């Protein structure tokens, strides 16, 4: 494995983590949104990013790539709000399954992973510079 592969691996991780942060921002922005579909209003369904190994040629290691962005299968929340125009006959409103605490924790994790990959790039760059100065 060459040092150049480190740049590809860390770069793919940074791209994947930035996409995850974008999805988290989308989830938090739409936590109170509704979607009009087939004549009815539905609450926003949280999205989750699925990562998978993006292996290098003839190797069991590699970077990361996004295999998909899926709907979060966690259940929707029912909130009692009889004054809401979208409430059912019993006064309950179906709301989004976005959990702001989980989203913030995932955001912190993604940001830390992004920062760790920046450190990997800095280390690889310093190693290359040191290697080039050996001949001097």
């Amino acid at each position: 494995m060459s040092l150049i592969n480190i740049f590809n691996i860390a770069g793919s991780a940074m791209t994947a983590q930035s996409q995850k942060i974008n999805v988290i921002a989308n989830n938090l922005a739409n936590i109170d949104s509704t979607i009009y579909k087939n004549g009815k209003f539905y609450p926003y369904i949280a999205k989750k990013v699925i990562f998978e190994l993006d292996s290098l040629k003839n190797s069991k290691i590699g970077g990361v790539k996004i295999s998909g962005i899926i709907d979060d299968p966690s259940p929707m929340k029912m909130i009692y709000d009889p004054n809401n125009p979208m409430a059912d006959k019993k006064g309950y409103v179906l709301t989004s399954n976005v959990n702001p605490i989980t989203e913030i924790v995932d955001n912190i994790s993604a940001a830390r992973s992004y920062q760790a990959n920046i450190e990997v790039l800095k280390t690889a760059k310093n190693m290359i510079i040191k290697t080039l100065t050996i001949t001097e």
Side-chain angles (χ1 to χ4, degrees):
M1 175 189 270
S2 72
L3 285 175
I4 301 302
N5 287 339
I6 294 171
F7 290 106
N8 292 333
I9 293 170
S12 71
M14 291 170 61
T15 301
Q17 294 300 336
S18 67
Q19 181 66 34
K20 183 176 182 179
I21 291 172
N22 283 335
V23 169
I24 291 168
N26 183 54
N27 286 340
L28 290 172
N30 289 297
I31 194 167
D32 293 325
S33 297
T34 56
I35 299 168
Y36 186 74
K37 188 167 131 183
N38 298 331
K40 294 176 79 176
F41 287 99
Y42 296 96
Y44 174 77
I45 300 172
K47 307 290 185 248
K48 295 290 178 192
V49 176
I50 307 297
F51 294 145
E52 71 178 1
L53 174 68
D54 187 15
S55 61
L56 300 172
K57 291 180 183 176
N58 302 324
S59 177
K60 292 183 178 180
I61 63 170
V64 62
K65 68 179 178 182
I66 295 173
S67 65
I69 298 174
I70 62 168
D71 290 341
D72 187 349
S74 59
M76 300 288 179
K77 297 177 220 159
M78 293 289 285
I79 295 176
Y80 182 71
D81 186 7
N83 296 327
N84 190 318
M86 295 175 51
D88 62 8
K89 292 177 184 173
K90 295 179 181 175
Y92 287 95
V93 178
L94 191 63
T95 62
S96 176
N97 62 350
V98 175
N99 182 340
I101 296 170
T102 303
E103 297 296 327
I104 295 298
V105 170
D106 286 348
N107 188 38
I108 292 170
S109 173
R112 295 286 185 220
S113 179
Y114 191 91
Q115 290 172 343
N117 282 291
I118 289 174
E119 292 302 320
V120 168
L121 290 177
K122 285 180 182 175
T123 302
K125 182 185 114 186
N126 288 337
M127 289 172 63
I128 290 171
I129 290 172
K130 291 282 184 190
T131 303
L132 292 175
T133 58
I134 287 175
T135 58
E136 293 180 358

